[in-house]
Coordinates of all heavy atoms in Angstrom, one line a residue:
M930 N 0.8 -1.2 0.0 CA 0.0 0.0 0.0 C 0.9 1.2 0.0 O 0.5 2.2 -0.6 CB -0.9 0.0 1.2 CG -2.0 -1.1 1.1 SD -3.1 -1.1 2.6 CE -4.1 0.4 2.2
Q931 N 2.0 1.2 0.7 CA 2.9 2.4 0.7 C 3.4 2.7 -0.7 O 3.5 3.9 -1.0 CB 4.1 2.1 1.7 CG 3.6 2.1 3.1 CD 4.8 1.9 4.0 OE1 6.0 1.8 3.6 NE2 4.5 1.9 5.3
K932 N 3.7 1.8 -1.5 CA 4.1 2.0 -2.9 C 3.1 2.8 -3.6 O 3.5 3.6 -4.5 CB 4.4 0.7 -3.6 CG 5.7 0.0 -3.2 CD 5.9 -1.2 -4.1 CE 7.1 -2.0 -3.6 NZ 7.2 -3.3 -4.4
E933 N 1.8 2.5 -3.4 CA 0.7 3.2 -4.1 C 0.5 4.6 -3.6 O -0.3 5.4 -4.2 CB -0.6 2.4 -4.0 CG -0.4 1.0 -4.6 CD -1.6 0.1 -4.3 OE1 -2.6 0.6 -3.9 OE2 -1.5 -1.1 -4.6
A934 N 1.2 5.0 -2.5 CA 0.9 6.3 -2.0 C 2.1 7.3 -2.1 O 2.2 8.3 -1.4 CB 0.6 6.2 -0.4
F935 N 3.0 7.0 -3.1 CA 4.1 7.9 -3.3 C 3.7 9.3 -3.6 O 4.5 10.2 -3.4 CB 5.0 7.3 -4.4 CG 6.1 6.4 -3.9 CD1 5.8 5.5 -2.8 CD2 7.4 6.4 -4.4 CE1 6.8 4.6 -2.4 CE2 8.3 5.5 -3.9 CZ 8.1 4.6 -2.8
D936 N 2.5 9.6 -4.2 CA 2.1 10.9 -4.6 C 1.0 11.3 -3.7 O 0.3 12.3 -4.1 CB 1.6 10.9 -6.1 CG 2.7 10.6 -7.0 OD1 3.8 11.1 -6.8 OD2 2.5 9.9 -8.0
D937 N 0.8 10.7 -2.5 CA -0.3 11.0 -1.6 C 0.3 11.1 -0.2 O 0.2 10.1 0.5 CB -1.3 9.9 -1.8 CG -2.5 10.1 -0.8 OD1 -2.6 11.2 -0.1 OD2 -3.4 9.2 -0.8
P938 N 0.8 12.3 0.2 CA 1.4 12.4 1.5 C 0.5 11.9 2.7 O 0.9 11.2 3.6 CB 1.8 13.9 1.7 CG 1.9 14.3 0.3 CD 0.9 13.5 -0.5
V939 N -0.8 12.3 2.6 CA -1.7 11.9 3.7 C -1.9 10.4 3.7 O -1.8 9.7 4.8 CB -3.0 12.7 3.7 CG1 -4.0 12.2 4.7 CG2 -2.7 14.2 3.9
G940 N -2.1 9.9 2.5 CA -2.3 8.4 2.4 C -1.0 7.7 2.9 O -1.1 6.7 3.5
F941 N 0.1 8.2 2.5 CA 1.3 7.6 3.0 C 1.5 7.6 4.5 O 1.8 6.6 5.1 CB 2.6 8.2 2.3 CG 3.8 7.5 2.7 CD1 4.3 6.4 2.1 CD2 4.6 8.0 3.8 CE1 5.4 5.7 2.5 CE2 5.8 7.3 4.1 CZ 6.2 6.2 3.5
L942 N 1.1 8.8 5.1 CA 1.2 8.9 6.6 C 0.3 7.9 7.2 O 0.7 7.4 8.3 CB 0.9 10.3 7.0 CG 2.0 11.3 6.7 CD1 1.5 12.8 7.0 CD2 3.3 11.0 7.5
I943 N -0.9 7.6 6.7 CA -1.8 6.7 7.3 C -1.1 5.3 7.3 O -1.1 4.6 8.3 CB -3.1 6.7 6.6 CG1 -3.8 8.0 6.9 CG2 -4.0 5.5 7.1 CD1 -5.1 8.3 6.0
C944 N -0.6 5.0 6.1 CA 0.1 3.7 6.0 C 1.3 3.6 6.9 O 1.6 2.6 7.5 CB 0.6 3.4 4.6 SG -0.7 3.1 3.3
D945 N 2.0 4.7 7.0 CA 3.2 4.8 7.9 C 2.9 4.6 9.4 O 3.5 3.8 10.0 CB 3.9 6.2 7.7 CG 5.2 6.3 8.4 OD1 6.0 5.5 8.3 OD2 5.3 7.4 9.1
R946 N 1.8 5.2 9.8 CA 1.4 5.0 11.2 C 1.0 3.6 11.4 O 1.5 3.0 12.4 CB 0.1 5.9 11.4 CG -0.4 5.8 12.9 CD -1.7 6.4 13.0 NE -2.7 5.8 12.2 CZ -3.8 6.4 11.7 NH1 -4.0 7.7 12.0 NH2 -4.6 5.8 10.9
E947 N 0.4 3.0 10.5 CA 0.0 1.5 10.7 C 1.2 0.6 10.6 O 1.3 -0.4 11.3 CB -1.1 1.2 9.6 CG -2.4 1.8 9.9 CD -2.9 1.6 11.3 OE1 -3.0 0.5 11.8 OE2 -3.3 2.6 11.9
F948 N 2.1 0.9 9.8 CA 3.4 0.2 9.7 C 4.1 0.2 11.0 O 4.4 -0.9 11.5 CB 4.3 0.8 8.6 CG 5.7 0.3 8.5 CD1 6.0 -0.9 7.8 CD2 6.8 0.9 9.2 CE1 7.2 -1.4 7.7 CE2 8.1 0.4 9.1 CZ 8.3 -0.8 8.4
H949 N 4.3 1.3 11.6 CA 4.9 1.4 12.9 C 4.1 0.7 14.0 O 4.6 -0.1 14.8 CB 5.2 2.9 13.3 CG 6.3 3.4 12.5 ND1 7.7 3.4 12.9 CD2 6.4 4.1 11.3 CE1 8.4 4.0 12.0 NE2 7.7 4.4 11.0
A950 N 2.8 1.0 14.1 CA 2.0 0.5 15.1 C 2.0 -1.1 15.1 O 2.0 -1.7 16.0 CB 0.6 1.1 15.1
T951 N 1.9 -1.6 13.8 CA 1.9 -3.1 13.7 C 3.1 -3.7 14.2 O 3.1 -4.7 14.9 CB 1.7 -3.4 12.2 OG1 0.4 -2.8 11.8 CG2 1.7 -4.9 11.9
I952 N 4.3 -3.1 13.9 CA 5.5 -3.7 14.3 C 5.6 -3.6 15.8 O 6.0 -4.5 16.5 CB 6.8 -3.0 13.7 CG1 6.8 -3.3 12.2 CG2 8.0 -3.3 14.4 CD1 7.8 -2.6 11.4
Y953 N 5.2 -2.4 16.4 CA 5.3 -2.3 17.9 C 4.4 -3.3 18.6 O 4.7 -3.9 19.6 CB 5.0 -0.9 18.3 CG 5.9 0.2 17.7 CD1 5.4 1.4 17.4 CD2 7.2 -0.1 17.4 CE1 6.3 2.4 16.8 CE2 8.0 0.8 16.7 CZ 7.6 2.1 16.5 OH 8.3 3.0 15.9
R954 N 3.2 -3.5 18.0 CA 2.2 -4.5 18.6 C 2.8 -5.9 18.5 O 2.7 -6.7 19.4 CB 0.8 -4.4 17.9 CG 0.0 -3.3 18.5 CD -1.4 -3.4 17.9 NE -2.0 -2.1 17.7 CZ -2.1 -1.4 16.6 NH1 -1.7 -2.0 15.5 NH2 -2.5 -0.2 16.5
A955 N 3.3 -6.2 17.3 CA 3.9 -7.5 17.1 C 5.0 -7.8 18.0 O 5.3 -9.0 18.4 CB 4.4 -7.7 15.6
S956 N 5.7 -6.8 18.4 CA 6.9 -7.0 19.3 C 6.4 -7.0 20.8 O 7.2 -7.2 21.7 CB 7.9 -5.9 19.2 OG 7.4 -4.6 19.7
G957 N 5.1 -6.9 21.0 CA 4.5 -7.0 22.4 C 4.6 -5.7 23.1 O 4.4 -5.6 24.3
N958 N 4.8 -4.6 22.4 CA 4.9 -3.3 23.0 C 3.6 -2.4 22.6 O 3.7 -1.5 21.8 CB 6.2 -2.6 22.5 CG 6.5 -1.4 23.5 OD1 5.7 -0.9 24.1 ND2 7.8 -1.1 23.5
A959 N 2.5 -2.8 23.3 CA 1.3 -2.1 23.0 C 1.4 -0.6 23.4 O 0.8 0.3 22.7 CB 0.1 -2.8 23.7
L960 N 2.1 -0.3 24.4 CA 2.3 1.0 24.9 C 2.9 1.9 23.8 O 2.5 3.0 23.5 CB 3.0 1.2 26.2 CG 3.3 2.5 26.8 CD1 1.9 3.2 27.1 CD2 4.1 2.5 28.0
L961 N 4.0 1.4 23.2 CA 4.7 2.1 22.2 C 3.7 2.3 21.0 O 3.7 3.3 20.3 CB 5.9 1.4 21.8 CG 6.9 2.1 20.8 CD1 7.2 3.6 21.2 CD2 8.2 1.4 20.5
A962 N 3.0 1.3 20.6 CA 2.0 1.4 19.5 C 1.0 2.5 19.8 O 0.8 3.3 18.9 CB 1.3 0.0 19.3
D963 N 0.5 2.5 21.0 CA -0.5 3.6 21.3 C 0.2 5.0 21.3 O -0.4 5.9 20.8 CB -1.1 3.3 22.7 CG -2.0 2.2 22.7 OD1 -2.5 1.7 21.6 OD2 -2.4 1.7 23.8
F964 N 1.4 5.0 21.8 CA 2.1 6.3 21.9 C 2.4 6.8 20.4 O 2.2 8.0 20.2 CB 3.4 6.2 22.7 CG 4.3 7.4 22.6 CD1 3.9 8.5 23.4 CD2 5.4 7.5 21.9 CE1 4.7 9.6 23.4 CE2 6.2 8.7 21.8 CZ 5.8 9.7 22.6
A965 N 2.8 5.9 19.6 CA 3.1 6.3 18.2 C 1.9 6.8 17.5 O 1.9 7.8 16.8 CB 3.8 5.1 17.5
T966 N 0.8 6.1 17.7 CA -0.5 6.5 17.1 C -0.9 7.9 17.6 O -1.3 8.7 16.8 CB -1.6 5.4 17.3 OG1 -1.1 4.2 16.8 CG2 -2.9 5.8 16.7
D967 N -0.8 8.1 18.9 CA -1.2 9.4 19.4 C -0.2 10.5 18.9 O -0.7 11.6 18.6 CB -1.1 9.4 21.0 CG -2.2 8.6 21.6 OD1 -3.2 8.3 20.8 OD2 -2.2 8.3 22.8
L968 N 1.0 10.2 18.8 CA 2.0 11.2 18.4 C 1.8 11.5 16.9 O 1.8 12.7 16.5 CB 3.4 10.6 18.6 CG 4.6 11.7 18.3 CD1 4.4 12.9 19.2 CD2 5.9 10.9 18.6
Y969 N 1.5 10.5 16.1 CA 1.1 10.8 14.7 C 0.0 11.8 14.6 O -0.1 12.7 13.8 CB 0.8 9.5 13.9 CG 1.9 8.9 13.2 CD1 2.7 8.0 13.8 CD2 2.2 9.2 11.9 CE1 3.8 7.4 13.2 CE2 3.3 8.7 11.3 CZ 4.1 7.8 11.9 OH 5.2 7.2 11.3
T970 N -1.1 11.5 15.4 CA -2.2 12.4 15.3 C -1.9 13.8 15.7 O -2.2 14.8 15.1 CB -3.3 11.8 16.3 OG1 -3.7 10.5 15.8 CG2 -4.6 12.7 16.2
Y971 N -1.1 14.0 16.8 CA -0.7 15.2 17.3 C 0.2 16.0 16.3 O 0.0 17.2 16.1 CB 0.0 15.1 18.6 CG 0.5 16.3 19.3 CD1 -0.4 17.2 19.8 CD2 1.8 16.6 19.3 CE1 0.0 18.4 20.4 CE2 2.3 17.8 19.9 CZ 1.4 18.7 20.4 OH 1.8 19.9 21.0
M972 N 1.0 15.3 15.6 CA 2.0 15.9 14.7 C 1.7 15.8 13.3 O 2.5 16.1 12.4 CB 3.4 15.3 15.0 CG 4.0 15.5 16.4 SD 4.2 17.2 16.9 CE 5.5 17.7 15.7
M973 N 0.5 15.4 12.9 CA 0.1 15.2 11.6 C 0.4 16.4 10.6 O 0.9 16.2 9.6 CB -1.4 14.8 11.5 CG -1.9 14.5 10.1 SD -1.1 13.1 9.2 CE -2.0 11.8 9.9
E974 N 0.1 17.5 11.0 CA 0.3 18.7 10.2 C 1.8 18.8 9.8 O 2.1 19.1 8.6 CB -0.1 20.0 10.9 CG 0.2 21.3 10.2 CD -0.1 22.6 11.1 OE1 -0.8 22.4 12.0 OE2 0.5 23.6 10.6
Y975 N 2.6 18.7 10.7 CA 4.1 18.8 10.5 C 4.6 17.6 9.7 O 5.5 17.7 8.8 CB 4.9 19.0 11.7 CG 4.4 20.3 12.4 CD1 3.6 20.2 13.6 CD2 4.8 21.5 11.9 CE1 3.2 21.5 14.2 CE2 4.4 22.7 12.5 CZ 3.6 22.6 13.6 OH 3.1 23.8 14.2
R976 N 4.1 16.4 10.0 CA 4.6 15.2 9.2 C 4.1 15.3 7.8 O 4.8 14.9 6.9 CB 4.1 14.0 9.9 CG 4.7 13.6 11.2 CD 6.3 13.6 11.2 NE 6.8 12.7 10.1 CZ 7.9 12.9 9.4 NH1 8.7 13.9 9.7 NH2 8.3 12.0 8.5
R977 N 2.9 15.9 7.6 CA 2.4 16.0 6.2 C 3.3 17.0 5.4 O 3.6 16.7 4.3 CB 0.9 16.5 6.3 CG 0.3 16.5 4.9 CD -1.2 17.0 4.9 NE -1.3 18.3 5.4 CZ -2.1 18.7 6.5 NH1 -2.7 17.8 7.2 NH2 -2.1 19.9 6.8
T978 N 3.7 18.0 6.1 CA 4.6 19.0 5.5 C 6.0 18.3 5.1 O 6.5 18.5 4.1 CB 4.9 20.2 6.3 OG1 3.7 20.9 6.6 CG2 5.9 21.1 5.8
A979 N 6.4 17.5 6.1 CA 7.7 16.8 5.9 C 7.7 15.8 4.7 O 8.6 15.8 3.9 CB 8.2 16.1 7.2
V980 N 6.6 15.0 4.7 CA 6.6 14.0 3.6 C 6.2 14.5 2.3 O 6.3 13.8 1.3 CB 5.7 12.8 4.0 CG1 6.2 12.1 5.3 CG2 4.3 13.1 4.1
A981 N 5.7 15.7 2.2 CA 5.3 16.4 1.0 C 6.6 16.9 0.2 O 6.5 17.2 -0.9 CB 4.4 17.5 1.2
R982 N 7.7 16.9 0.9 CA 8.9 17.4 0.3 C 9.4 16.4 -0.8 O 9.2 15.2 -0.6 CB 10.0 17.7 1.3 CG 9.6 18.8 2.2 CD 10.6 19.2 3.2 NE 10.2 20.3 3.9 CZ 10.5 20.7 5.2 NH1 11.4 19.9 5.8 NH2 10.1 21.8 5.7
P983 N 10.0 16.9 -1.9 CA 10.4 15.9 -2.9 C 11.4 14.8 -2.3 O 12.3 15.1 -1.6 CB 11.2 16.8 -3.9 CG 10.6 18.2 -3.7 CD 10.3 18.2 -2.2
G984 N 11.0 13.6 -2.7 CA 11.9 12.4 -2.3 C 11.6 11.9 -0.9 O 12.1 10.8 -0.6
A985 N 10.8 12.6 -0.1 CA 10.7 12.2 1.3 C 10.0 10.9 1.4 O 10.4 10.0 2.2 CB 9.9 13.3 2.1
I986 N 8.9 10.6 0.6 CA 8.2 9.4 0.7 C 9.1 8.2 0.2 O 9.1 7.2 0.9 CB 6.8 9.4 -0.1 CG1 5.9 10.5 0.7 CG2 6.2 8.1 -0.2 CD1 4.6 10.7 0.0
A987 N 9.8 8.4 -0.9 CA 10.7 7.3 -1.4 C 11.7 7.0 -0.3 O 12.0 5.8 -0.2 CB 11.2 7.8 -2.7
T988 N 12.2 8.0 0.3 CA 13.3 7.8 1.3 C 12.7 7.0 2.5 O 13.3 6.0 3.0 CB 13.9 9.1 1.8 OG1 14.5 9.7 0.7 CG2 15.0 8.9 2.9
S989 N 11.5 7.4 3.0 CA 10.9 6.7 4.1 C 10.5 5.3 3.7 O 10.7 4.4 4.5 CB 9.6 7.5 4.5 OG 9.0 6.9 5.6
Y990 N 10.0 5.1 2.5 CA 9.8 3.7 2.0 C 11.0 2.9 2.0 O 11.0 1.7 2.4 CB 9.1 3.8 0.6 CG 8.8 2.4 0.1 CD1 7.7 1.7 0.6 CD2 9.7 1.8 -0.8 CE1 7.4 0.4 0.0 CE2 9.4 0.5 -1.3 CZ 8.3 -0.2 -0.8 OH 8.1 -1.4 -1.3
A991 N 12.1 3.5 1.5 CA 13.4 2.6 1.6 C 13.8 2.3 3.0 O 14.3 1.2 3.2 CB 14.5 3.5 0.9
D992 N 13.6 3.2 3.9 CA 13.9 2.9 5.3 C 13.0 1.8 5.8 O 13.5 0.9 6.5 CB 13.6 4.1 6.2 CG 14.5 5.3 6.1 OD1 15.6 5.1 5.4 OD2 14.3 6.3 6.7
H993 N 11.7 1.8 5.4 CA 10.8 0.8 5.8 C 11.3 -0.5 5.3 O 11.1 -1.6 5.9 CB 9.4 1.1 5.4 CG 8.7 2.2 6.1 ND1 7.5 2.7 5.9 CD2 9.2 3.0 7.2 CE1 7.2 3.7 6.7 NE2 8.2 3.9 7.5
A994 N 11.7 -0.6 4.0 CA 12.1 -1.8 3.4 C 13.3 -2.4 4.1 O 13.4 -3.6 4.3 CB 12.5 -1.5 1.9
A995 N 14.2 -1.5 4.6 CA 15.4 -2.0 5.4 C 14.9 -2.6 6.7 O 15.4 -3.6 7.2 CB 16.4 -0.9 5.6
I996 N 13.9 -2.0 7.3 CA 13.4 -2.5 8.6 C 12.8 -3.9 8.3 O 13.0 -4.8 9.1 CB 12.4 -1.5 9.2 CG1 13.1 -0.3 9.6 CG2 11.6 -2.1 10.3 CD1 12.2 0.9 10.0
V997 N 11.9 -4.0 7.3 CA 11.2 -5.3 7.0 C 12.3 -6.3 6.7 O 12.2 -7.5 7.2 CB 10.3 -5.1 5.9 CG1 9.7 -6.4 5.4 CG2 9.1 -4.2 6.4
A998 N 13.3 -6.0 5.9 CA 14.3 -7.0 5.6 C 15.0 -7.5 6.9 O 15.3 -8.7 7.0 CB 15.3 -6.4 4.6
A999 N 15.3 -6.6 7.8 CA 16.0 -7.0 9.0 C 15.1 -7.9 9.8 O 15.6 -8.9 10.4 CB 16.4 -5.8 9.8
L1000 N 13.8 -7.5 9.9 CA 12.9 -8.3 10.7 C 12.7 -9.7 10.0 O 12.7 -10.8 10.7 CB 11.6 -7.6 10.8 CG 11.5 -6.3 11.7 CD1 10.2 -5.6 11.6 CD2 11.9 -6.6 13.1
R1001 N 12.6 -9.7 8.7 CA 12.4 -11.0 7.9 C 13.6 -11.9 8.2 O 13.5 -13.1 8.2 CB 12.2 -10.7 6.5 CG 11.5 -11.8 5.7 CD 11.2 -11.4 4.3 NE 10.0 -10.7 4.3 CZ 9.6 -9.7 3.5 NH1 10.6 -9.2 2.6 NH2 8.5 -9.1 3.4
D1002 N 14.8 -11.3 8.2 CA 16.0 -12.1 8.4 C 16.3 -12.4 9.9 O 17.3 -13.1 10.2 CB 17.3 -11.3 8.0 CG 17.3 -11.1 6.4 OD1 16.5 -11.8 5.8 OD2 18.0 -10.2 5.9
H1003 N 15.3 -12.0 10.8 CA 15.5 -12.2 12.2 C 16.9 -11.8 12.7 O 17.6 -12.4 13.5 CB 15.3 -13.7 12.6 CG 14.0 -14.3 12.1 ND1 12.9 -14.1 12.9 CD2 13.7 -15.0 11.0 CE1 11.9 -14.6 12.2 NE2 12.3 -15.2 11.1
D1004 N 17.2 -10.5 12.3 CA 18.5 -9.9 12.6 C 18.3 -8.7 13.5 O 18.0 -7.6 13.0 CB 19.2 -9.5 11.3 CG 20.6 -8.9 11.6 OD1 20.9 -8.5 12.7 OD2 21.4 -8.9 10.6
P1005 N 18.3 -8.9 14.8 CA 17.9 -7.8 15.8 C 18.9 -6.6 15.6 O 18.4 -5.5 15.7 CB 17.9 -8.4 17.1 CG 18.7 -9.7 17.0 CD 18.6 -10.1 15.6
D1006 N 20.1 -6.8 15.4 CA 21.1 -5.7 15.3 C 20.8 -4.9 14.0 O 20.8 -3.7 14.1 CB 22.5 -6.2 15.2 CG 23.0 -6.9 16.5 OD1 22.4 -6.5 17.6 OD2 23.9 -7.7 16.5
A1007 N 20.5 -5.5 12.9 CA 20.1 -4.8 11.7 C 18.8 -4.1 11.9 O 18.6 -2.9 11.4 CB 20.1 -5.8 10.5
A1008 N 17.9 -4.7 12.6 CA 16.6 -4.1 12.8 C 16.8 -2.8 13.7 O 16.2 -1.7 13.3 CB 15.6 -5.0 13.4
V1009 N 17.5 -2.9 14.7 CA 17.8 -1.8 15.6 C 18.5 -0.6 14.8 O 18.1 0.6 14.8 CB 18.6 -2.1 16.8 CG1 19.2 -0.9 17.6 CG2 17.7 -3.0 17.7
A1010 N 19.4 -1.0 14.0 CA 20.1 0.0 13.2 C 19.2 0.6 12.1 O 19.2 1.9 12.0 CB 21.3 -0.6 12.4
A1011 N 18.4 -0.2 11.5 CA 17.4 0.4 10.5 C 16.4 1.3 11.2 O 16.1 2.4 10.6 CB 16.8 -0.7 9.7
F1012 N 15.9 0.9 12.3 CA 15.0 1.7 13.1 C 15.7 3.1 13.5 O 15.1 4.1 13.5 CB 14.4 1.1 14.2 CG 13.0 0.5 14.0 CD1 12.8 -0.9 13.9 CD2 11.9 1.4 14.0 CE1 11.5 -1.3 13.6 CE2 10.7 0.9 13.7 CZ 10.5 -0.5 13.6
A1013 N 16.9 3.0 13.9 CA 17.6 4.2 14.3 C 17.7 5.2 13.2 O 17.6 6.4 13.4 CB 19.0 3.8 14.9
V1014 N 18.2 4.7 12.0 CA 18.2 5.6 10.9 C 16.9 6.2 10.6 O 16.8 7.4 10.4 CB 18.8 4.8 9.6 CG1 18.5 5.6 8.3 CG2 20.2 4.4 9.8
H1015 N 15.8 5.4 10.6 CA 14.5 5.9 10.2 C 13.9 6.9 11.3 O 13.4 7.9 11.0 CB 13.6 4.7 10.1 CG 12.2 5.1 9.6 ND1 12.0 5.8 8.5 CD2 11.0 4.9 10.1 CE1 10.7 5.9 8.3 NE2 10.0 5.4 9.3
T1016 N 14.1 6.6 12.6 CA 13.6 7.5 13.6 C 14.3 8.7 13.7 O 13.8 9.8 13.9 CB 13.5 6.8 15.0 OG1 14.8 6.3 15.3 CG2 12.4 5.6 15.0
D1017 N 15.7 8.7 13.4 CA 16.5 9.9 13.3 C 16.0 10.8 12.2 O 15.9 12.0 12.3 CB 17.9 9.6 13.2 CG 18.8 10.9 13.2 OD1 18.7 11.6 14.3 OD2 19.4 11.2 12.3
R1018 N 15.7 10.1 11.0 CA 15.2 10.9 9.9 C 13.8 11.5 10.2 O 13.6 12.7 9.8 CB 15.0 9.9 8.7 CG 14.8 10.7 7.4 CD 14.7 9.8 6.1 NE 15.5 8.7 6.1 CZ 16.8 8.6 5.8 NH1 17.4 9.7 5.4 NH2 17.4 7.5 5.7
I1019 N 12.9 10.8 10.9 CA 11.7 11.3 11.3 C 11.9 12.6 12.2 O 11.3 13.6 12.0 CB 10.8 10.3 12.0 CG1 10.4 9.2 11.1 CG2 9.6 10.9 12.7 CD1 9.7 8.0 11.8
Y1020 N 12.8 12.4 13.2 CA 13.1 13.5 14.1 C 13.6 14.7 13.3 O 13.1 15.9 13.5 CB 14.1 13.1 15.1 CG 14.5 14.2 16.0 CD1 13.7 14.7 17.1 CD2 15.8 14.9 15.8 CE1 14.1 15.7 17.8 CE2 16.1 15.9 16.6 CZ 15.3 16.4 17.6 OH 15.7 17.4 18.4
Q1021 N 14.5 14.5 12.4 CA 15.2 15.6 11.7 C 14.1 16.3 10.8 O 14.1 17.5 10.7 CB 16.4 15.2 10.8 CG 17.5 14.6 11.7 CD 18.1 15.7 12.6 OE1 18.1 16.9 12.3 NE2 18.6 15.2 13.7
T1022 N 13.4 15.5 10.0 CA 12.4 16.2 9.1 C 11.3 16.8 9.8 O 10.8 17.8 9.3 CB 11.9 15.1 8.1 OG1 11.3 14.1 8.8 CG2 13.0 14.6 7.2
T1023 N 10.9 16.3 11.0 CA 9.9 17.0 11.8 C 10.4 18.3 12.4 O 9.7 19.3 12.3 CB 9.4 16.0 12.9 OG1 8.8 14.8 12.3 CG2 8.3 16.7 13.7
Q1024 N 11.6 18.3 12.8 CA 12.2 19.5 13.3 C 12.2 20.6 12.2 O 12.0 21.7 12.5 CB 13.6 19.2 13.9 CG 13.6 18.5 15.2 CD 12.9 19.3 16.3 OE1 13.2 20.5 16.5 NE2 12.0 18.7 17.0
S1025 N 12.6 20.2 11.0 CA 12.6 21.1 9.9 C 11.2 21.7 9.6 O 11.1 22.8 9.4 CB 13.2 20.4 8.7 OG 13.2 21.3 7.6
A1026 N 10.2 20.8 9.6 CA 8.9 21.3 9.4 C 8.4 22.2 10.5 O 7.7 23.2 10.2 CB 7.9 20.1 9.2
L1027 N 8.7 21.9 11.7 CA 8.3 22.8 12.8 C 9.0 24.1 12.6 O 8.4 25.1 12.8 CB 8.8 22.1 14.2 CG 7.9 21.0 14.7 CD1 8.6 20.2 15.8 CD2 6.6 21.5 15.2
K1028 N 10.3 24.2 12.3 CA 11.0 25.4 12.1 C 10.4 26.2 10.9 O 10.2 27.4 11.1 CB 12.5 25.1 11.8 CG 13.3 26.3 11.5 CD 14.8 25.9 11.2 CE 15.5 27.1 10.6 NZ 16.7 26.7 9.9
D1029 N 10.1 25.5 9.8 CA 9.5 26.2 8.7 C 8.1 26.8 9.1 O 7.7 27.9 8.7 CB 9.3 25.2 7.5 CG 10.6 24.9 6.9 OD1 11.7 25.5 7.3 OD2 10.7 23.9 6.1
G1030 N 7.3 26.0 9.9 CA 6.0 26.4 10.4 C 6.1 27.7 11.2 O 5.3 28.6 11.1
R1031 N 7.1 27.8 12.1 CA 7.3 28.9 12.9 C 7.7 30.1 12.1 O 7.3 31.2 12.3 CB 8.4 28.7 14.0 CG 7.9 27.8 15.2 CD 8.9 27.8 16.3 NE 10.2 27.2 16.0 CZ 10.5 25.9 16.1 NH1 9.6 25.0 16.5 NH2 11.7 25.5 15.7
Q1032 N 8.5 30.0 11.1 CA 8.9 31.0 10.2 C 7.7 31.6 9.4 O 7.6 32.7 9.2 CB 10.1 30.6 9.3 CG 11.4 30.3 10.0 CD 12.4 29.8 9.0 OE1 12.2 29.3 8.0 NE2 13.7 29.8 9.6
D1033 N 6.9 30.6 9.0 CA 5.7 31.0 8.2 C 4.7 31.9 9.1 O 4.0 32.8 8.5 CB 4.9 29.8 7.7 CG 5.7 29.1 6.6 OD1 6.6 29.7 6.0 OD2 5.3 28.0 6.3
R1034 N 4.8 31.7 10.4 CA 3.8 32.4 11.2 C 4.4 33.8 11.6 O 3.8 34.6 12.3 CB 3.5 31.6 12.5 CG 2.7 30.4 12.1 CD 2.3 29.6 13.3 NE 1.6 28.4 12.9 CZ 1.9 27.2 13.3 NH1 2.9 27.0 14.2 NH2 1.2 26.2 12.9
S1035 N 5.7 34.0 11.4 CA 6.4 35.2 11.8 C 5.9 36.4 10.9 O 5.6 36.3 9.8 CB 7.9 35.1 11.7 OG 8.3 34.1 12.5

């Protein structure tokens, strides 16, 4: 479904939220799944801005593919590394969208 949402930032974000929540639930971490879902809702405006930037969805999808590959290979070290890259990218792009939003309001 994510492949079909490359030109649909909101659609991609919905898939993205479900991707993360599914992995967190599957790992037995219902609290993290709930937290991620709530955070997505709270930060939707900024995440929509972030993923609307050129190449952002393709980059996120590539991160997701690396996470899935590590999980499929039952390689916890690779999964942790792939998640670290992806969550750092989420943090950086959200910070950039927040900064841009503050500048737009000035």
